[in-house]
Amino acid sequence: MRSGIRTGPIGSSQAARREAPSWFTVRGGTFTSVPTTTSHPPRYPAHRTRYSAPRRIRRSATLLAAGASLLLPLATAAPALAAPPAPSATPAADGKGQPKQPPKRPPAKMSTVGGELLGRPGVQVQPGPGAPALPRDLSGNSWLVADAESGEILAANNAHWQLPPASTLKMLFADTVLPKFPKSQQHTVRSADLEGMGDGSSQVGMKEGVTYSVRDMWMGVFLRSGNDAVHVLSAMNGGVAKTVKDMQAHADALQARDTHVVTPDGYDAEEQVSSAYDLTLFARSGLQKADFREYCSTARTQFPDEDHPGKTKEIVNTNRLLTGQGIPAYKGMAGVKNGSTTNAGNTFTGVAQHDGKKLLVTVMNPEIKEPHQVYKETQMLLDWGFEAAGHVKPVGVLVAPPGASNKPGGVSGGGSAGQGAQASVSGGDGMWTAVGLTGGALAVLAVAGYVVNRRHPLPQRTQHRRPKE
């Protein structure tokens, strides 16, 4: 697996990273470096950062500063607040021909789990000296940037707004069910296993009568967001109803108070909601598990071909910041999960590392309806977060998983020999986040495959329109 464009593989030696051609300075650390300002040539105006404001803007800012000085006595030390984006003037039509209602504004008061400021609507950020300005092109109804190790939240927007989660809810499904079955366990699919999937569900291609390993099924969940794989695993866990109950209990244990689980796969359902805060909790908890890290960081793998018994087909991760399909891959990106449904719009939680700093970002339902917008906004927030770290006062904290704390220091994660190398991230009292890698020949094949893909894009069949998840 490669972590980004024209870089050495994650976990490669410094020498290997130096040999990889890049327009960025490659620094040391466990992962390939992530640039602190941008991860690729900027697509947006330079006024997004404090370093490159055009001269005309600077002159205007001088005049505005004079006027603003008259208002300084009225200012307070409260964090910056911005009103949520106004709803679209014209509602978009959903897949069933019915108008999709524009999003409602967030409640005036929301949960305060993790801090009082997180219960307020709008943008929450407390910049200090040298802090960069937040990107201007953020349109997500809800988003959050957090330090994956300490749990400190650097900035957030409507962090506890309860919204449809789409397939990012599969992170909770995996965190709940994954420990229950060894990856080598085999299961032959029955017709009852596949019942109850929603119309138009995304599928990896599981077929009745075919035998799959648990590892195959989890690859189908993470890479192709396969609702068929979710339903088979749920059947193995005692059924959908039991799995939903287990997921809700685990969410409650994580203090994810905004989450109400109705389906195990995140498919749109009445009253099924989560929040940017809770989805980030699920990602952080899941990343404590070696298998979770392996699956969410895999860019592509082989999966049993349902139409050709005994043969396999390639499946590619739908996380575009990991694979670079349609948008440049983000250097240092290593998961976690994306989603898209009619009600939820596009959602995404991602984890990335740069020079020892690990950030988690969640974005829910951007109002700008351009292709790949959820990834663009995630990238902007990651860029901002890496630059802002140490220059902003946290606005809250991710509560630690049970039995862990947010204190720095501690042990590193690992994995079994069969899972290959683990690029581990330190934490405290068992609180650590790490991104798993496959090792040995698999790693070599993945790197070679990525290089070929950068030169020869994937065939059109792997770039088909993604169904509802």
Side-chain angles (χ1 to χ4, degrees), residues 324-350:
Q325 288 185 283
I327 185 171
Y330 194 91
K331 296 173 69 178
M333 170 60 56
V336 177
K337 188 70 188 76
N338 59 305
S340 177
T341 65
T342 298
N343 291 341
N346 291 292
T347 59
F348 180 66
T349 297

Side-chain angles (χ1 to χ4, degrees), residues 75 93-94 112 126 140 222 246 258 276 294 301 309 327 359 405 418 465:
D94 66 15
T112 56
Q126 299 188 109
F222 277 91
D246 290 348
D258 304 321
E294 175 192 350
T301 192
I327 185 171
L359 296 182
S405 80
R465 183 169 175 239

Side-chain angles (χ1 to χ4, degrees), residues 293-357:
R293 300 192 299 269
E294 175 192 350
Y295 300 138
C296 80
S297 64
T298 299
R300 60 191 68 230
T301 192
Q302 293 297 310
F303 187 85
D305 190 335
E306 69 274 21
D307 296 324
H308 301 89
K311 296 185 178 180
T312 62
K313 62 182 180 181
E314 183 183 67
I315 58 173
V316 181
N317 203 312
T318 53
N319 174 358
R320 294 173 184 271
L321 289 183
L322 185 65
T323 64
Q325 288 185 283
I327 185 171
Y330 194 91
K331 296 173 69 178
M333 170 60 56
V336 177
K337 188 70 188 76
N338 59 305
S340 177
T341 65
T342 298
N343 291 341
N346 291 292
T347 59
F348 180 66
T349 297
V351 62
Q353 173 169 315
H354 167 55
D355 277 358
K357 177 66 66 176

Side-chain angles (χ1 to χ4, degrees), residues 154-417:
L154 307 184
N157 177 48
N158 303 322
H160 283 291
W161 191 3
Q162 293 178 296
L163 296 167
S167 282
T168 45
L169 193 65
K170 288 183 172 80
M171 294 187 296
L172 174 61
F173 170 75
D175 196 34
T176 303
V177 178
L178 193 151
K180 299 187 178 186
F181 308 106
K183 61 169 60 178
S184 60
Q185 181 173 334
Q186 303 286 313
H187 178 80
T188 301
V189 176
R190 304 166 303 167
S191 59
D193 296 346
L194 299 172
E195 292 177 355
M197 285 192 295
D199 294 339
S201 287
S202 55
Q203 300 183 43
V204 66
M206 299 189 71
K207 188 174 183 180
E208 179 185 354
V210 177
T211 300
Y212 301 85
S213 69
V214 166
R215 182 183 183 277
D216 287 336
M217 288 185 266
W218 284 116
M219 286 295 183
V221 170
F222 277 91
L223 273 66
R224 298 307 303 167
S225 206
N227 289 3
D228 48 356
V230 170
H231 277 255
V232 173
L233 286 162
S234 295
M236 294 171 62
N237 187 53
V240 167
K242 180 182 181 297
T243 301
V244 166
K245 183 178 180 180
D246 290 348
M247 290 169 64
Q248 188 66 63
H250 188 49
D252 294 342
L254 294 174
Q255 301 184 56
R257 309 296 188 214
D258 304 321
T259 298
H260 181 223
V261 183
V262 179
T263 69
D265 50 24
Y267 192 88
D268 283 339
E270 195 72 27
E271 298 185 353
Q272 179 154 273
V273 292
S274 190
S275 67
Y277 186 90
D278 285 7
L279 293 174
T280 311
L281 287 183
F282 302 151
R284 193 181 186 216
S285 177
L287 287 166
Q288 313 314 308
K289 300 173 176 62
D291 289 348
F292 187 106
R293 300 192 299 269
E294 175 192 350
Y295 300 138
C296 80
S297 64
T298 299
R300 60 191 68 230
T301 192
Q302 293 297 310
F303 187 85
D305 190 335
E306 69 274 21
D307 296 324
H308 301 89
K311 296 185 178 180
T312 62
K313 62 182 180 181
E314 183 183 67
I315 58 173
V316 181
N317 203 312
T318 53
N319 174 358
R320 294 173 184 271
L321 289 183
L322 185 65
T323 64
Q325 288 185 283
I327 185 171
Y330 194 91
K331 296 173 69 178
M333 170 60 56
V336 177
K337 188 70 188 76
N338 59 305
S340 177
T341 65
T342 298
N343 291 341
N346 291 292
T347 59
F348 180 66
T349 297
V351 62
Q353 173 169 315
H354 167 55
D355 277 358
K357 177 66 66 176
K358 303 92 188 173
L359 296 182
L360 279 162
V361 168
T362 295
V363 177
M364 300 185 76
N365 193 14
E367 283 292 284
I368 297 175
K369 303 304 180 185
E370 294 182 0
H372 316 316
Q373 185 66 25
V374 73
Y375 299 109
K376 295 174 184 177
E377 296 193 16
T378 297
Q379 175 192 291
M380 288 190 283
L381 287 169
L382 284 168
D383 287 342
W384 176 86
F386 285 121
E387 190 175 1
H391 300 285
V392 295
K393 181 180 178 181
V395 298
V397 67
L398 297 171
V399 291
S405 80
N406 287 329
K407 294 186 294 184
V411 297
S412 297
S416 66

Side-chain angles (χ1 to χ4, degrees), residues 10 49 58 95 109 113 134 145 167 190 207 231 280 409 412:
I10 292 176
T49 69
R58 293 199 297 268
K109 292 183 179 180
V113 172
L134 280 166
V145 186
S167 282
R190 304 166 303 167
K207 188 174 183 180
H231 277 255
T280 311
S412 297

Side-chain angles (χ1 to χ4, degrees), residues 24-41:
F24 298 110
T25 301
V26 177
R27 302 170 184 169
T30 309
F31 293 24
T32 306
S33 297
V34 175
T36 54
T37 305
T38 57
S39 59
H40 55 78

